[in-house]
Amino acid sequence: MKEEDFKSFWRIMEGNLMERYSVKPVHTLEEMLLLHSRLPEKIQLFLAIKDGQAQAGCVAYMANDTCVHIQYGHATPEGKQEGALDLLYLTLMEKFRKAGYKYMDFGNSNEQGGHYLNENLIAQKEGFGGRATTYKQWKICL
């Protein structure tokens, strides 16, 4: 489950993001490896593996003692068919609950700077019992 093979997972994620949205991840593989090396207990990769191959994965940031932030949840085509990411999320929810975390933050579900709600993404998160919340934003001109 907990893994160090960021390179394999980054290939899956980059392929998904480019195919679906024509974008790259916020962090490059090199940036994530550097962040993980500096905070290995706070930034962790979790993978669902079948027959030695990563089928799904996500990066978990242990933000504080009560909240784990999940980012970059992705699966291979086979992993999507088999529900590997769903299984991984359910497993992590139980793992983090037992470790004393109260919240698992799945991140935002909007696009275009918060002007468009990705309904498929929010539906996936709500399927795990999540709920949406809005955040106030301020713009400070310096």
Side-chain angles (χ1 to χ4, degrees):
M1 167 114 86
K2 181 179 165 188
E3 294 287 331
E4 298 290 326
D5 189 5
F6 281 86
K7 188 174 182 178
S8 291
F9 177 64
W10 239 248
R11 280 194 299 269
I12 295 168
M13 178 180 53
E14 287 176 332
N16 284 345
L17 288 173
M18 191 53 65
E19 179 183 315
R20 188 144 194 196
Y21 302 107
S22 298
V23 298
K24 293 182 179 182
V26 173
H27 299 95
T28 65
L29 173 60
E30 292 74 22
E31 289 169 335
M32 186 54 65
L33 290 172
L34 177 62
L35 289 169
H36 173 68
S37 74
R38 291 183 176 171
L39 298 164
E41 295 304 315
K42 296 285 186 183
I43 301 173
Q44 298 177 11
L45 173 68
F46 293 92
L47 298 175
I49 298 173
K50 179 181 177 187
D51 299 329
Q53 298 294 313
Q55 298 296 309
C58 66
V59 177
Y61 301 84
M62 285 53 170
N64 54 45
D65 292 341
T66 60
C67 183
V68 176
H69 173 72
I70 300 298
Q71 188 171 355
Y72 298 133
H74 288 273
T76 63
E78 180 184 356
K80 289 175 187 177
Q81 273 189 319
E82 295 187 3
L85 188 57
D86 292 352
L87 178 60
L88 180 61
Y89 283 162
L90 290 169
T91 302
L92 289 176
M93 288 169 73
E94 183 63 15
K95 171 187 174 58
F96 294 135
R97 185 191 64 76
K98 285 182 178 177
Y101 290 94
K102 292 183 178 182
Y103 304 100
M104 192 161 128
D105 175 2
F106 284 102
N108 71 49
S109 301
N110 58 55
E111 300 173 19
Q112 301 171 9
H115 295 281
Y116 173 75
L117 178 65
N118 183 323
E119 293 185 26
N120 290 332
L121 189 53
I122 192 69
Q124 179 199 31
K125 295 170 184 181
E126 289 174 341
F128 291 106
R131 63 181 185 266
T133 186
T134 57
Y135 295 100
K136 291 183 181 180
Q137 295 183 7
W138 292 270
K139 184 175 182 180
I140 301 173
C141 298
L142 302 175

